[in-house]
Amino acid sequence: MTRRGNDLVDSARARLTHHLLWGFLFMNAPFAALAQQPPLADDVIEARVVELVSRMTIEEKIGQMVQTHYPGEVSGDLRGAIEAGRVGSLLNVVDVDVANELQRIATEESRLGIPLLLARDVIHGFRTVLPIPLGQAATWNPELVERGTRNAALEAASTGVNWVLAPMIDISRDPRWGRIAESFGEDPYLTSRLAVAMVEGFQGDELSAPGTIAACAKHFAGYGASEAGRDYNTTNIPENELRNVYLPPFKAAVDAGVATLMTSFSDLDGVPASGNRFLMQSVLRDEWDFDGFVVSDWDSIDQLTDHGFAADFRDAALKAVTAGVNMEMVSRTYADHLAELVEQGETGMERIDQLVGEILRIKLRLGLFENPYTEPGEFPEPGNDDHLAVAREAALQSLVLLQNEDNALPLDVGALDSIAVIGPLSDDPYEQLGTWIFDGDPELSRTPLQAIRAFVGDRADINYVRALETSRSRDTGGFGEALAAARASDAVVLFLGEESILSGEAHSRADIDLPGAQVELVRALRAAGKPVIAFILAGRPLTVENILEDVDALVFAWHPGTMGGPAIADVLFGVESPSGKLPVTFPRVVGQIPIYYAHKNTGKPATPDTYVQMDDLPVRGAQAAFGMTSHHLDAGYTPLFPFGFGLSYGRFTYSDIELSRSTLGMSDSLTVQAVVTNSGDMEADEVVQLYVRDLVGDVTRPVKELKGFRRIRLQPGESRTASFELHPANLAFYGQDMKWMIEPGEFHVWVGGSSDTELRASFTLVDE
Ligand code: BGC
């Protein structure tokens, strides 16, 4: 049934009026200030869900549960499927005319006029590319992450996208895993804070407001624990660890109102996530009261057969529906088998109604029934100056200074006649963008070389040599020219790392050294005897201990995105101090993985006195020589750089930790404060971090857990008191019986600029 002609005219007129009004407002007010038609009240939405579902045929219900991949054209088949109500969502439509045409078919040509969800992976920016999420995590700045995400939402929404498949909030403690690039790193608290920032950036305060889009927290759950860091691999996570480490970011996203979740490809303790009723029913719906919907990952329902969890696609559909997957991404088990499963009584119609209703609820909350169309002219231009400025700030704050011997950084341009810029990532507009940048525009990229040239102008010569074609190249033919350039210059600035394609989905590595001949390049250039500054652009932590002696300064830049170049130049020349902090531990060697700061203590913890290097072991020494403690003979027990670490051009010291009370009752709160001083001679940001240890627990507790952080800015010589509030609820965890508990006892608390801070105080939590 199509709508009557004058309904169409009316709706076109309403749209036009709305567009004109919107356009007028947009010229006169900041975009965020625009409120469109008031959102539908919850009870109205619920009533419409019930009413709609009651009018749907089984085919139309199943249609809402089907997400297809856009085939690249509005083919007759696709048109017919949408008209017949057999598609609820499409993936990867980013042409606004196509989006509007598809919405027109859905809302005006289908019987019930249900609009489409148009989904896209907007992982770190859209046209304007922000640093990879792991780099954004290094900013420890949720407010900045939210701003960048808001801009990405606007850019994506201008093409008709109304659902983003982000944020990815898998805890990852394994840098071999290529998808660590998409994550916020190893820590549940930092990840939770940034998960909320991204959800709020995409969804705003009100899902139906202009330019806000539905977010999708993924991958539920445990994907980051893939064995050996090999993508898609099995995960085994005891329930207690699942609840204390892997689930909190998802809980935070749900509490922040995330509209949707995506399942994981992985097998969790023998029950693949896409068929996991414990995750999707017991935890997500029963415990957390989630009322949005869950989409599978790409083909992950039919892959239940590959896992050996379902006998065939029919069985896979049954298991996924029973577990609580509302929508199937790309594979067709729902389309092909759900009707039969209902007819034969293997799944009830109430189950289908519930799952469909949850999808419709999000479509209604998005305001798509009222306005399914997109007018790109109403949005700010993608890649505009404001978006570039936020991307630059995010890149700047993501830069982590790992080493700075003799204050090799920053460079003083006035004191240099020439600078050698060397390396495969010095001037590569594409590679600095990182993984998952379908919509990124390399033409917008400002490379380090461009930015250095722009900053230096004619004050010094720039001698640029790429030296290696790509980060993987083994051909050392360019080394001679690079060495000559280094010899002819007063300082050497290297841009090394990994190309984009070496991280991301299905791009795991077993060896995470700098690839290709880059280590040899660093060593070769040392012969020039000049200060060497290395910037590493990469999608994961790399094992860089093997170059530390041959570089004076080392900055980890992740894949910094569109504005990486200017951010890097600002740090290189001291316009700004680096202020990023590691969101993930850097191992010395791959064999230490997993290595993370919030580990358990073991019964035989290593200490500096009980650790010995292999070469120092006495020949035929007693087994117990140097103590029997938990370490590697050839790598010790400490990481190369700890979680939370990052140097500055300021010099931050911490002192005078004080607690407002030494005994904390269950209804009290505790203020923890410490004095932070910048005794350096440059103004800089510092990320002050708060850690806690619960000394004795119903289950053993980590040796340190992040509980708060704050970015502050201090002038040279300035001291400031940083304070944090702690409540008993911040000390809660899941105990042996999987209950959330707040357990009385002794706690240590630290404040500092890294997880290895030693500035400590203690308090007692009492049950009164
Ligand atoms: C990834 C998801 C992504 C989806 C759609 C899958 O391969 O695992 O994270 O959202 O593809 O592109």
Side-chain angles (χ1 to χ4, degrees):
M1 188 174 77
T2 49
R3 287 202 197 161
R4 281 179 300 121
N6 45 355
D7 275 0
L8 283 177
V9 173
D10 283 350
S11 82
R13 210 176 278 140
R15 278 205 309 278
L16 184 65
T17 317
H18 159 71
H19 290 170
L20 288 174
L21 178 68
W22 196 357
F24 172 77
L25 284 171
F26 182 53
M27 282 162 37
N28 293 285
F31 192 86
L34 293 175
Q36 225 201 137
Q37 59 256 35
L40 298 175
D42 287 350
D43 54 346
V44 174
I45 290 181
E46 295 313 309
R48 283 184 67 179
V49 166
V50 171
E51 190 266 337
L52 257 178
V53 171
S54 75
R55 289 165 55 210
M56 293 168 87
T57 63
I58 178 76
E59 287 73 25
E60 286 166 336
K61 290 175 187 172
I62 295 167
Q64 288 303 307
M65 301 171 77
V66 170
Q67 181 183 59
T68 37
H69 181 235
Y70 175 58
E73 56 165 346
V74 186
S75 62
D77 282 356
L78 178 60
R79 185 181 292 274
I82 299 173
E83 277 171 8
R86 281 191 273 111
V87 180
S89 170
L90 276 114
L91 193 56
N92 296 335
V93 176
V94 278
D95 177 320
V96 70
D97 295 331
V98 173
N100 283 337
E101 172 60 2
L102 294 172
Q103 293 290 22
R104 193 195 62 75
I105 301 169
T107 57
E108 299 181 13
E109 307 287 338
S110 76
R111 191 177 77 91
L112 296 170
I114 301 175
L116 296 164
L117 284 169
L118 300 177
R120 185 69 161 172
D121 289 283
V122 182
I123 306 300
H124 52 113
F126 193 72
R127 198 78 71 234
T128 310
V129 179
L130 299 157
I132 54 170
L134 194 59
Q136 291 186 54
T139 70
W140 293 56
N141 189 338
E143 188 269 331
L144 183 57
V145 168
E146 183 177 338
R147 268 198 290 152
T149 305
R150 181 84 204 102
N151 293 342
L154 291 172
E155 294 190 358
S158 74
T159 69
V161 168
N162 52 31
W163 180 23
V164 289
L165 305 179
M168 194 276 227
I169 52 177
D170 296 310
I171 296 297
S172 178
R173 296 176 165 183
D174 195 329
R176 294 170 296 185
W177 190 47
R179 300 197 80 167
I180 195 171
E182 288 174 65
S183 82
F184 296 130
E186 75 184 40
D187 185 64
Y189 180 80
L190 179 60
T191 300
S192 298
R193 292 277 306 269
L194 299 175
V196 171
M198 272 205 182
V199 169
E200 291 178 347
F202 285 126
Q203 297 194 168
D205 297 332
E206 172 47 56
L207 217 42
S208 67
T212 55
I213 39 191
C216 181
K218 69 188 190 184
H219 305 84
F220 196 59
Y223 189 26
S226 296
E227 281 182 356
R230 182 157 60 80
D231 207 6
Y232 313 130
N233 207 1
T234 301
T235 69
N236 285 295
I237 310 175
E239 185 180 338
N240 191 267
E241 187 170 339
L242 186 74
R243 288 183 176 276
N244 282 318
V245 176
Y246 291 87
L247 294 185
F250 289 94
K251 173 73 163 65
V254 167
D255 289 346
V258 73
T260 70
L261 263 69
M262 185 188 297
T263 64
S264 163
F265 283 124
S266 42
D267 173 349
L268 175 65
D269 298 342
V271 183
S274 299
N276 197 310
R277 192 169 162 78
F278 164 73
L279 283 177
M280 282 178 281
Q281 189 60 47
S282 309
V283 175
L284 183 61
R285 288 170 167 112
D286 298 345
E287 290 181 30
W288 297 354
D289 290 327
F290 176 66
D291 69 356
F293 75 87
V294 180
V295 63
S296 76
D297 205 344
W298 187 297
D299 286 350
S300 70
I301 298 184
D302 76 18
Q303 289 166 10
L304 294 177
T305 60
D306 298 289
H307 282 289
F309 186 70
D312 50 28
F313 291 166
R314 184 179 181 281
D315 190 26
L318 178 60
K319 292 213 157 102
V321 153
T322 307
V325 183
N326 303 69
M327 185 182 282
E328 178 169 17
M329 186 189 292
V330 182
S331 54
R332 306 275 307 164
T333 72
Y334 280 10
D336 294 345
H337 302 288
L338 272 191
E340 180 193 328
L341 286 166
V342 174
E343 263 160 41
Q344 299 186 347
E346 287 178 71
T347 187
M349 189 64 95
E350 321 74 61
R351 182 63 173 164
I352 304 294
D353 288 354
Q354 180 211 334
L355 296 177
V356 172
E358 288 167 346
I359 296 170
L360 295 174
R361 180 182 291 140
I362 295 303
K363 292 187 174 185
L364 284 156
R365 282 187 185 159
L366 278 165
L368 289 177
F369 285 83
E370 285 66 40
N371 185 20
Y373 298 107
T374 302
E375 173 50 63
E378 293 166 344
F379 289 84
E381 189 65 27
N384 66 53
D385 288 349
D386 174 47
H387 293 192
L388 293 176
V390 175
R392 178 177 180 157
E393 187 62 27
L396 176 71
Q397 294 191 18
S398 77
L399 300 175
V400 187
L401 178 61
L402 294 175
Q403 174 168 298
N404 196 14
E405 294 295 319
D406 301 325
N407 294 329
L409 275 174
L411 293 183
D412 175 1
V413 180
L416 301 170
D417 290 330
S418 58
I419 303 169
V421 174
I422 297 172
L425 298 174
S426 310
D427 192 31
D428 198 319
Y430 177 84
E431 300 298 356
Q432 70 186 49
L433 298 182
T435 185
W436 286 107
I437 45 112
F438 296 148
D439 306 290
D441 182 359
E443 302 247 307
L444 284 177
S445 288
R446 315 260 175 92
T447 69
L449 179 66
Q450 289 166 354
I452 289 170
R453 285 202 164 121
F455 184 90
V456 170
D458 54 13
R459 289 180 284 175
D461 293 334
I462 304 297
N463 299 317
Y464 167 57
V465 182
R466 191 172 177 112
L468 290 163
E469 190 45 38
T470 71
S471 68
R472 286 171 284 165
S473 305
R474 303 213 149 272
D475 179 356
T476 57
F479 282 21
E481 194 193 346
L483 186 55
R487 287 202 161 111
S489 306
D490 297 323
V492 179
V493 186
L494 294 173
F495 292 95
L496 309 172
E498 289 182 324
E499 303 146 67
S500 295
I501 194 70
L502 298 187
S503 58
E505 185 173 347
H507 293 97
S508 296
R509 297 180 60 200
D511 169 353
I512 54 169
D513 278 356
L514 281 166
Q518 294 183 93
V519 174
E520 289 93 310
L521 177 63
V522 175
R523 291 189 182 140
L525 293 175
R526 205 44 164 171
K530 302 295 167 62
V532 176
I533 317 288
F535 285 84
I536 296 194
L537 284 69
R540 57 162 64 78
L542 298 178
T543 39
V544 288
E545 191 167 32
N546 55 5
I547 61 162
L548 287 186
E549 280 193 1
D550 291 316
V551 300
D552 298 280
L554 180 66
V555 179
F556 217 81
W558 320 99
H559 285 130
T562 304
M563 295 300 282
I568 284 170
D570 281 351
V571 157
L572 180 62
F573 297 114
V575 177
E576 257 298 335
S577 170
S579 60
K581 300 278 187 174
L582 296 179
V584 57
T585 302
F586 274 43
R588 297 174 190 280
V589 292
V590 154
Q592 289 185 301
I593 298 169
I595 181 167
Y596 48 92
Y597 85 95
H599 60 84
K600 304 290 183 72
N601 204 31
T602 81
K604 293 176 184 282
T607 64
D609 307 332
T610 56
Y611 153 61
V612 61
Q613 305 216 357
M614 184 141 67
D615 291 345
D616 296 336
L617 273 181
V619 176
R620 295 183 208 283
Q623 182 76 33
F626 297 101
M628 306 278 274
T629 62
S630 181
H631 63 270
H632 288 111
L633 287 176
D634 46 2
Y637 63 97
T638 58
L640 184 59
F641 299 111
F643 175 85
F645 175 78
L647 301 169
S648 169
Y649 297 161
R651 212 160 65 77
F652 292 104
T653 52
Y654 288 77
S655 62
D656 304 304
I657 186 166
E658 272 179 32
L659 308 188
S660 59
R661 49 182 5 130
S662 56
T663 303
L664 178 67
M666 289 295 166
S667 50
D668 296 335
S669 70
L670 170 72
T671 306
V672 182
Q673 62 181 49
V675 176
V676 190
T677 303
N678 180 0
S679 55
D681 50 20
M682 184 163 168
E683 174 184 2
D685 277 11
E686 166 74 340
V687 178
V688 185
Q689 302 158 40
L690 173 80
Y691 293 90
V692 160
R693 177 174 182 184
D694 182 351
L695 296 190
V696 180
D698 179 56
V699 293
T700 55
R701 310 295 303 129
V703 296
K704 262 181 192 163
E705 286 181 284
L706 183 71
K707 294 292 178 186
F709 58 86
R710 177 155 307 144
R711 204 172 239 279
I712 61 173
R713 190 167 185 83
L714 293 186
Q715 302 294 323
E718 187 183 352
S719 287
R720 183 136 14 122
T721 301
S723 64
F724 298 90
E725 286 269 294
L726 267 181
H727 300 270
N730 304 130
L731 307 170
F733 60 95
Y734 285 91
Q736 289 181 45
D737 61 2
M738 304 305 155
K739 293 271 175 337
W740 187 235
M741 63 190 296
I742 304 176
E743 196 182 27
E746 297 290 310
F747 289 79
H748 285 165
V749 55
W750 295 259
V751 176
S754 162
S755 64
D756 64 2
T757 170
E758 292 179 353
L759 185 67
R760 193 183 85 189
S762 312
F763 65 91
T764 308
L765 177 65
V766 293
D767 194 1
E768 65 182 25

